[in-house]
Amino acid sequence: IRESDGQRFLQLAFRHLPSYFSFLAFQVFLGFGDETQGDVLNNFPEGSMEANVARGLLAITMIFTYPMELFVGRHVLVDLFHNGNIDCPVGRQRMTLGLYFSTLIPALFFDDLGHVLSITGAVGGSCLAYIGPGLVYIGVNSKLFLKWSDDLISSCHRKPLWWYTFGFPIWCTIAERARSGLDERLAVKTFAQIDLEESSEMAQPTPYDFLVALSFMLFGVIAMFAGVGTNIYVLINPND
């Protein structure tokens, strides 16, 4: 496929695939109505040849595409724990097997994917929408955040109760590690020996900005535990 043809194919695919899948979903809903299950194949009668053929094709598809699903997770783990170095085949194999079994074991125990998707959504959504952005903001402005945190308790003889209630020991530890990481990375970049946080061209964060970041992270932690706890309660007490 020539490059122009490939780009045209991708444009057509992204343009028409959403309409195609929406049309299929609408047809399924017309056929089964409010009784439509998460796995639409379960709506067909037991022993249905059409449903069994579809299950077989789906299984074949998952066998050949499942390893690709682990690539992104393994890449993130390599960046987090090995600084992007994945040359060691033993480490790569261990990570791949760890990710494989971490997804296989829940699949063996859960009959309803709704709980799996709900727990995954609670953890992933809270981290991506609230906890992650707050941590990134504190990490980028780690020096100023640590200075602001020290100013909050500078007049106190000992750390007050709210310091621990709002998780300041955790946030300060993260900021300390972020500051060390930034200093190491900036030390390597000899072509740009500048202090990003003291640059006059950048807007300096205010105490209000740090409070917003902290509120995001606290809300994300509460939402994550509430979502996971609710799902666990429903699993333990299905009749309530």
Side-chain angles (χ1 to χ4, degrees), residues 5-21:
D5 293 338
Q7 293 178 353
R8 185 169 180 272
F9 173 78
L10 290 176
Q11 291 176 357
L12 292 175
F14 283 111
R15 185 180 305 170
H16 296 291
L17 280 179
S19 301
Y20 174 72
F21 286 122

Side-chain angles (χ1 to χ4, degrees), residues 121-132:
V123 176
S126 299
C127 292
L128 290 176
Y130 298 102
I131 301 176

Side-chain angles (χ1 to χ4, degrees), residues 47-227:
S48 172
M49 184 182 68
E50 294 83 359
N52 290 333
V53 171
R55 291 188 181 97
L57 295 175
L58 180 61
I60 294 173
T61 303
M62 294 306 298
I63 289 173
F64 287 102
T65 60
Y66 190 69
M68 292 189 297
E69 304 294 335
L70 303 178
F71 177 79
V72 176
R74 187 178 65 184
H75 182 74
V76 172
L77 291 178
V78 169
D79 279 343
L80 287 176
F81 299 107
H82 298 283
N83 294 323
N85 183 16
I86 199 172
D87 295 333
C88 179
V90 177
R92 183 168 63 250
Q93 293 170 2
R94 289 177 179 176
M95 283 188 181
T96 304
L97 289 175
L99 288 172
Y100 175 76
F101 285 109
S102 67
T103 54
L104 175 64
I105 293 174
L108 296 176
F109 284 97
F110 289 103
D111 296 327
D112 187 3
L113 286 179
H115 296 296
V116 177
L117 296 176
S118 182
I119 293 175
T120 304
V123 176
S126 299
C127 292
L128 290 176
Y130 298 102
I131 301 176
L135 289 177
V136 170
Y137 191 82
I138 287 179
V140 172
N141 302 283
S142 54
K143 293 182 180 179
L144 295 176
F145 176 79
L146 291 172
K147 182 178 181 301
W148 174 70
S149 301
D150 292 337
D151 292 340
L152 289 177
I153 58 174
S154 58
S155 60
C156 302
H157 298 289
R158 60 180 181 178
K159 295 177 180 178
L161 180 61
W162 58 262
W163 177 268
Y164 301 97
T165 303
F166 292 103
F168 271 89
I170 299 175
W171 315 134
C172 290
T173 302
I174 294 173
E176 286 281 0
R177 296 193 62 178
R179 182 176 64 177
S180 301
L182 284 174
D183 291 340
E184 292 177 0
R185 291 179 180 272
L186 289 176
V188 176
K189 298 183 181 299
T190 56
F191 60 88
Q193 296 292 340
I194 57 173
D195 190 348
L196 295 177
E197 293 173 350
E198 295 179 0
S199 175
S200 59
E201 298 179 357
M202 298 182 63
Q204 299 296 310
T206 63
Y208 175 78
D209 297 329
F210 288 132
L211 289 176
V212 171
L214 289 175
S215 64
F216 264 62
M217 292 186 292
L218 291 174
F219 180 81
V221 171
I222 294 173
M224 180 175 63
F225 279 101

